[in-house]
Amino acid sequence: MTQGPRLVMLGKQGAGKGTQAARLAEHYRIVHLSTGDLFRAAASAGTRFGLEAKAYMDRGELVPDDVTVGLVEERFTAHGSPLQGGFVLDGFPRNRNQAVELDRVLDGLPLDLAIDLDVPRDVVLERLAGRRVCSRCSAVYHVDMPPSRPWICDVCGGDVVQRDDDTEEAISRRLEVYEEETVPVLDYYRRLGKLAVADGVGTGDDVFERLVKVIDDWRSSSPASANP
Ligand code: AMP
C-alpha cells in the first residue's frame, strides 16, 4: 500500500502554512496537525492548560517545549495516530529541541520532507495585519478577501475574527522568535538533506501547485520512502 507523505511545513508567520497544510492534507489524504490550532482550541475551551498557553501566545512567545512536545506526542501515540498513514505538521517543530524531540516521537520512521514556505518579511507583515480567521474551523481570510457574508465563515458558518496575537506588538515578537528559534530548524533539516524551499508568494492555487510538485518530485526520486 502506498502511504501518504510525512511532512513538516516551515515558514514565517503569515507565510500561508495553515492554509496550504490543510489543502495538502486533503490532497494526499493525510492528517493535518497544527499546534497553534490545538492551543487555540484549548484556550477557547477555557481549560487551565489552554489559558496558560494563551498567555504565551498573546505575547508572541513560544509555549514551553515540555507542554508542546507532550501535546504532539499524545496525538502520535493515541488511537488513530497518523504515524503510518502520513501527516503534515504545521507550526511544529518551532525550535531545534522540538525537531530532535520529533525524531524521538517518530521512533525511527523517517520524515519525508520539511518544506520552507518562503515569503519576504514585508509580504507577511501585510498579510498578518489584515488576516482574519474562522474561530471554529481556522479557515483564513483577509480584509481584502472577506467571506461572502460579512465575517461568517464560508466553510463552516463560524465567526470570522482577528486573532488575539495578530497585534503589531505580538507580530513583531513572533517574527523575532522565528529568526532566533525557528531558522535553526531549517538548518537542522537542510543538514539531513530533507529541506525543500518553495516560493510562497502568489495566489493560493499557484503556491499549492508548487508544493505538490515539490512533494511529488521528491517522492518519485525516493520510492523507498514513499513505500517504506
Ligand atoms: P501559529 O498558529 O502556528 O502561528 O501558532 C500560534 C502560537 O501558538 C505561537 O505564536 C505560539 O505561541 C504557539 N505555538 C504554536 N506552535 C508552537 C510550538 N511548536 N512551540 C511553541 N509554541 C507554539
Side-chain angles (χ1 to χ4, degrees), residues 6 76 83 87 89 101-112:
R6 293 180 288 270
F76 275 115
L83 213 50
F87 54 82
L89 282 173
E101 286 291 304
L102 176 61
D103 286 342
R104 179 185 60 77
V105 170
L106 294 181
D107 197 21
L109 205 60
L111 195 71
D112 289 314

Side-chain angles (χ1 to χ4, degrees), residues 13-14 17 34-37 39-40 53-54 56-65 68-69 72 90-95 98 131 163 165 174:
Q13 290 75 8
K17 293 189 296 293
S34 155
T35 40
D37 284 351
F39 286 136
R40 276 184 290 279
K54 189 173 184 328
Y56 289 96
M57 293 165 80
D58 287 354
R59 292 199 306 271
E61 301 290 346
L62 295 185
V63 177
D65 280 0
T68 309
V69 172
V72 171
D90 155 17
F92 184 92
R94 271 294 222 280
N95 61 26
Q98 291 182 6
R131 176 161 78 175
R163 275 172 46 165
D165 59 350
R174 279 152 65 208

Side-chain angles (χ1 to χ4, degrees), residues 37 41 44 133-139 152-153 155-161:
D37 284 351
S44 59
V133 294
C134 173
S135 52
R136 197 187 297 162
C137 76
S138 307
I152 303 292
C153 179
V155 181
C156 76
D159 289 333
V160 174
V161 298

Side-chain angles (χ1 to χ4, degrees), residues 3-8 30 82-88 106 109-114 225 228:
Q3 297 180 330
R6 293 180 288 270
L7 306 169
V8 162
I30 54 178
L83 213 50
Q84 294 300 331
F87 54 82
V88 51
L106 294 181
L109 205 60
L111 195 71
D112 289 314
L113 207 52
S225 184

